Amino acid sequence: MRIVEFIVSFALLVVGFWLMAAAFTSEFVGYEVLTFTAGIVAFSVSFGLPMRRYLKA
């Protein structure tokens, strides 16, 4: 299961970077804040997903 977790986390990391970069393109005029925020959320989840195992009490 850890390999699946790694693949999902890496995919979310890439999507997060893509969304943050896409916020500065002309295709997302008017949605910059929403797109950048979605990128930050995806980036945060990509690190939070594997860490949930270590945060359990």
Side-chain angles (χ1 to χ4, degrees):
M1 284 309 274
R2 289 187 184 192
I3 190 70
V4 174
E5 187 176 278
F6 171 77
I7 292 169
V8 170
S9 294
F10 188 73
L12 283 171
L13 181 74
V14 171
V15 166
F17 280 133
W18 185 86
L19 283 171
M20 287 187 277
F24 296 103
T25 62
S26 61
E27 288 87 16
F28 291 96
V29 172
Y31 297 103
E32 294 93 352
V33 174
L34 180 66
T35 307
F36 195 80
T37 304
I40 296 270
V41 168
F43 184 79
S44 299
V45 169
S46 75
F47 283 101
L49 189 64
M51 289 303 293
R52 66 182 167 79
R53 172 181 331 220
Y54 301 108
L55 296 177
K56 290 181 182 176

